[in-house]
């Protein structure tokens, strides 16, 4: 991939920033697409494009003719999706259709669309748990049908909970923010932890970005690749890891100690990534320390 | 339904015109939504709305607060959908999302979205035969998931081949046009009939519109209602019916005499409509004569 070009959408976001850094360091020409001209870009050339504006997407793709596309742009807040369901469909699904259509003019381009494990299984029911889930399911259908209709090389990645330094909105970032407030003696409510028992797969965003690179290089068009660490950790364990590194006791209120869905791991799917020689490398504790460092030194 | 109001989108189209006439004659207040102000409206009050413009849809729905909505607007040419796949997704799927979202402000409204039998089965494969099929499948998912997420009363109808007087683009209209050319001694190529054996279910559009009324009144939210005559006719038989009424011999070239997919009938589904007391009433030969009359006397 060295020497070739990659267009990264959502480049100003949590994953986007790490992706720009990673692919730049790999020796690729990085086009970092952001919505607003004043969004800082971690690395590469900033490109302003509002993914809701079809014409801007077509013009960007036509101009850049990228060898690779990593489509990270989108919205990912479940509560917000209840308020603005159509915005979620436009941002997560329609912008993907616009991008796929624009890429018909760059037939050799290899594209990876980053989906979500919060999609629902349309082959089983028509009952999404929330509009965000609907929008990501529709995005997945967009990619898999487009590959069939127009024969382009497009893949899907479905990452688990990505953690690491940067402006994430995930639970680890929320705990780290609270911890730093407590350390600075800011008056604050206890951290509300939904459950101690709920178990999730956490993966460092830098490991995920490497996985995206591997899929872009070697993935098969139409396939969906789950990106997992393979280790489930309870929210109680996650909280304790932060507490272990904290200078003060983080006040916590556990809403429902024993509740929690357990997202099952899929070892068969994980094997697909191991065949590519990819595996998670950054230890969980290292990720947590890096998150803490990020929030202690903003 | 008498005395209540109905918003009909795509009111200027083949089915839309018949729908405006039917619901007006039933004593309903008909809002006939058309894209361009100069589109003639068969009956009711014309309302100009471009279904691709979200704001126009929201404003129209907010203003009219209809008791019923019959959503007919959309594009339906398979060849055109290959040229403009994104336009088809915008017109057939995204406009439906906009309409459903706008209708959250009119919670008592009962809505019928008219889909297509050309949708593909997403529970079986991700391989639509063409972008039109994809757009109608996505429209169907839009309706069935929206009902679950927001609890509105929305139904889907899946009509077979609708025929009858008016500006249709279906095979019967095409044969009638050719027949009238021949009768007027216009020099013309033979009619290209894809097959003699291919069998389809043809239903008069006026019967279909009655079925839509029945579903709007009595249908159950989230359900899909197939609208069928229950009789399969071969294209050869259809052509012969026209020839029988023609004043001259219609030249014909059969591309592949014995070819043809047979769209299977679904008697279980048809029973749903019979329970509502609906059945097809207009004899096939009557439909054909009315089509011929329409094209002979434009």
């Amino acid at each position: 991939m060295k020497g070739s070009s990659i267009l990264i959408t959502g480049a100003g976001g949590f994953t986007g920033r790490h992706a720009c850094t990673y692919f730049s360091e790999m020796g690729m020409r990085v086009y970092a697409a952001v919505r607003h001209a004043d969004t800082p870009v971690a690395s590469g050339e900033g490109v302003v494009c509002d993914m809701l504006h079809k014409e801007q997407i077509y013009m960007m793709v036509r101009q850049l003719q990228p060898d690779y596309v990593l489509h990270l742009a989108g919205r990912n807040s479940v509560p917000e999706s209840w308020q603005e369901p159509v915005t979620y469909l436009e941002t997560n699904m329609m912008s993907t259709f616009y991008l796929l259509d624009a890429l018909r003019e760059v037939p050799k381009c290899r594209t990876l669309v980053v989906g979500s494990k919060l999609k629902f299984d349309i082959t089983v029911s028509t009952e999404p748990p929330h509009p965000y889930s609907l929008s990501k399911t529709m995005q997945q259908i967009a990619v898999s049908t487009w590959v069939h209709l127009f024969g382009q090389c497009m893949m899907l990645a479905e990452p688990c909970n990505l953690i690491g330094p940067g402006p994430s909105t995930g639970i680890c970032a929320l705990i780290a923010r609270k911890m730093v407030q407590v350390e600075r003696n800011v008056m604050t409510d206890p951290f509300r932890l939904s459950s101690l028992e709920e178990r999730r797969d956490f993966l460092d965003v830098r490991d995920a970005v490497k996985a995206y690179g591997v899929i872009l290089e070697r993935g098969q068009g139409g396939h969906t690749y789950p990106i997992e660490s393979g280790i489930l950790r309870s929210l109680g364990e996650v909280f304790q890891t932060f507490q272990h590194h904290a200078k003060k006791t983080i006040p916590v209120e556990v809403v429902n100690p024993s509740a929690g869905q357990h997202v099952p791991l899929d070892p068969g799917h994980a094997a697909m990534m191991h065949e590519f020689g990819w595996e998670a490398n950054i230890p969980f504790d290292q990720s947590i320390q890096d998150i803490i460092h990020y929030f202690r030194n903003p």
Side-chain angles (χ1 to χ4, degrees), chain A:
Chain A
M1 297 171 87
K2 195 178 164 178
S4 53
S5 65
I6 183 168
L7 166 63
I8 300 172
T9 71
F14 172 57
T15 305
R17 294 191 201 190
H18 287 285
C20 289
T21 304
Y22 176 73
F23 290 107
S24 290
E25 285 174 355
M26 206 195 233
M28 294 181 79
R29 181 167 187 173
V30 170
Y31 300 115
V34 292
R35 190 168 168 196
H36 302 291
D38 56 0
T39 305
V41 159
S43 189
E45 301 165 45
V47 181
V48 177
C49 179
D50 183 340
M51 297 299 290
L52 288 181
H53 280 83
K54 188 164 50 166
E55 287 72 22
Q56 290 185 27
I57 297 175
Y58 286 87
M59 210 185 302
M60 173 177 71
V61 168
R62 199 168 296 143
Q63 235 162 19
L64 302 179
Q65 303 268 326
D67 299 311
Y68 299 91
V69 172
L70 177 60
H71 181 41
L72 294 165
R75 297 225 205 174
N76 61 5
S77 155
V78 169
E80 192 184 54
S81 78
W82 281 109
Q83 300 307 313
E84 303 173 56
V86 161
T87 309
Y88 269 68
L89 290 160
E90 290 174 327
T91 314
N92 292 343
M93 171 190 60
M94 227 35 227
S95 77
T96 303
F97 271 122
Y98 294 149
L99 185 62
L100 302 187
D101 193 43
L103 286 166
R104 289 164 69 196
E105 290 184 26
V106 195
K108 283 188 181 164
C109 181
R110 292 172 63 84
T111 301
L112 178 61
V113 174
V114 177
S116 166
K117 290 211 185 296
L118 293 187
K119 76 171 201 300
F120 71 103
D121 188 347
I122 189 79
T123 66
V124 170
S125 92
T126 53
E127 305 190 349
H130 39 70
Y132 171 65
S133 176
L134 174 60
S135 73
K136 295 304 276 190
T137 303
M138 294 296 245
Q139 182 187 47
Q140 188 206 27
I141 298 173
V143 176
S144 52
T145 55
W146 203 267
V147 167
H148 170 74
L149 286 172
F150 296 102
Q152 292 159 270
C153 183
M154 285 153 179
M155 286 82 61
L156 260 162
E158 273 179 14
C160 60
N161 295 268
L162 299 188
I163 59 173
S168 159
T169 54
I171 184 168
C172 288
L174 296 177
I175 299 175
R177 272 201 194 90
K178 180 68 73 178
M179 169 179 156
V180 170
Q181 284 180 327
V182 172
E183 289 178 347
R184 289 180 188 156
N185 296 314
V186 177
M187 285 287 286
T188 175
D189 294 331
F191 187 81
R192 283 176 66 90
L193 197 61
S194 58
S195 151
L196 291 172
E197 294 299 326
E198 185 183 328
R199 285 148 65 86
R200 297 186 192 168
D201 186 336
F202 294 90
L203 176 68
D204 197 283
V205 63
R206 293 160 289 189
D207 275 331
V209 163
K210 276 188 197 170
Y212 298 161
V214 168
I215 298 168
L216 277 168
E217 195 174 8
R218 303 182 52 191
Q220 199 179 327
H223 271 231
T224 297
Y225 296 92
I227 312 296
E228 296 166 348
S229 80
I231 299 164
L232 290 178
R233 291 171 201 278
S234 71
L235 297 190
E237 178 188 349
V238 172
F239 188 82
Q240 279 312 314
T241 308
F242 277 97
Q243 186 58 73
H244 174 74
H245 292 290
K247 293 169 188 158
K248 295 191 177 168
T249 301
I250 314 168
V252 64
E253 178 195 328
V254 181
V255 180
N256 194 343
S258 59
Q261 346 132 248
H262 300 253
V263 180
L265 288 171
D266 187 337
H269 274 151
M272 285 158 66
M273 290 305 299
H274 293 156
E275 270 177 36
F276 288 155
W278 175 89
E279 55 182 358
N281 278 322
I282 302 173
F284 181 69
D285 195 69
Q286 184 63 51
S287 302
I288 301 302
Q289 289 190 52
D290 291 348
I291 295 170
I292 293 171
H293 180 80
Y294 175 83
F295 282 101
R296 278 189 184 145
N297 311 278

